[in-house]
Amino acid sequence: MDFPVWLAFFAACWVIAVSPGSGAVLAMTHGLAYGVRGASATILGLEAGVAVILLVAGAGVGALLLASATAFTVVKVVGALYLIWLGWRQWIAPVGEDPAASHTAQPSSAGGSVAATVKAGPPARQRFVLGFLTNVTNPKGIVFMVAVLPQFIDPQRSLWWQLPVMLVTAVAVDVVVMHGYAWLASRAQRWLASARARQTQNRVFGGVLMAMGASLFMVKRAAT
């Protein structure tokens, strides 16, 4: 991959990552609930999903999902139902005082510390799986990668030399952006400390996730 082509792909990765999606919503939700550190396991899962989608699309298997109505429909329905389930779980999440919450000291601008309450949350492995399934079952990501990757692949060079470069670039950019979303959400903790505010947050993010899941049912397979 020539350097100018890589720069173009690098720019495209930023556009893709910054665009709001189910991954960004999940990163913000966990950043708000568990802090940036707690959201890191979720983000690693999201990146594992990005890696699988990129490799699937780059190796041409993604084209099979576009060519096979059955395969595409299965992936679409699974992804849609999963996001709806995840959104419903967020919608009905309890907002009472969490006995498992841990109090951590964060440095303040004056050199002291301020107390911040961050829920312990589910185990890191569970957050990783949530992140992974959120991205890997999203047919929009597969369709997008199948449409975008060919624009940057040089058919005169080995695909297996180009894919690792594209994979590292895409994942690195997405890690930065998802952590940015989680950080921005975590900064809002002090304004969302009340039970009413936490319930509103659950309803907003849960509703967005369910809406995204429902929207997947309208994704159409590319004409062949």
Side-chain angles (χ1 to χ4, degrees):
M1 177 181 289
D2 294 331
F3 185 67
V5 176
W6 177 83
L7 280 180
F9 179 72
F10 180 67
C13 287
W14 280 99
V15 173
I16 297 169
V18 172
S19 301
S22 55
V25 172
L26 189 61
M28 287 188 290
T29 300
H30 284 198
L32 183 59
Y34 315 126
V36 178
R37 285 189 178 183
S40 291
T42 307
I43 293 170
L44 288 178
L46 290 171
E47 301 320 313
V50 169
V52 169
I53 290 176
L54 189 145
L55 290 175
V56 165
V61 180
L64 175 63
L65 295 179
L66 297 180
S68 170
T70 300
F72 184 86
T73 300
V74 168
V75 172
K76 179 174 71 173
V77 171
V78 170
L81 292 178
Y82 176 72
L83 285 179
I84 292 172
W85 173 80
L86 196 62
W88 177 246
R89 287 279 304 269
Q90 184 70 27
W91 183 280
I92 64 175
V95 296
E97 186 66 26
D98 190 347
S102 60
H103 295 270
T104 60
Q106 295 181 347
S108 69
S109 58
S113 63
V114 292
T117 301
V118 179
K119 289 190 288 184
R125 179 180 297 181
Q126 184 176 340
R127 297 197 300 272
F128 177 91
V129 172
L130 285 174
F132 176 75
L133 291 177
T134 296
N135 267 352
V136 84
T137 60
N138 188 348
K140 282 186 176 180
I142 296 174
V143 171
F144 195 83
M145 285 294 185
V146 169
V148 169
L149 286 185
Q151 312 301 321
F152 301 97
I153 293 177
D154 185 349
Q156 305 301 321
R157 300 185 180 183
S158 172
L159 176 65
W160 299 108
W161 281 108
Q162 298 177 74
L163 277 182
V165 174
M166 302 174 83
L167 176 61
V168 171
T169 302
V171 169
V173 169
D174 206 57
V175 164
V176 173
V177 172
M178 292 302 108
H179 273 94
Y181 277 130
W183 181 85
L184 288 174
S186 70
R187 295 302 92 188
Q189 284 178 345
R190 68 180 63 185
W191 293 284
L192 295 173
S194 69
R196 181 184 295 272
R198 291 198 302 273
Q199 183 180 57
T200 300
Q201 175 254 317
N202 286 342
R203 297 287 172 83
V204 170
F205 283 115
V208 170
L209 282 170
M210 287 189 285
M212 286 182 174
S215 71
L216 292 186
F217 287 113
M218 296 182 286
V219 175
K220 302 297 183 181
R221 188 167 60 96
T224 57

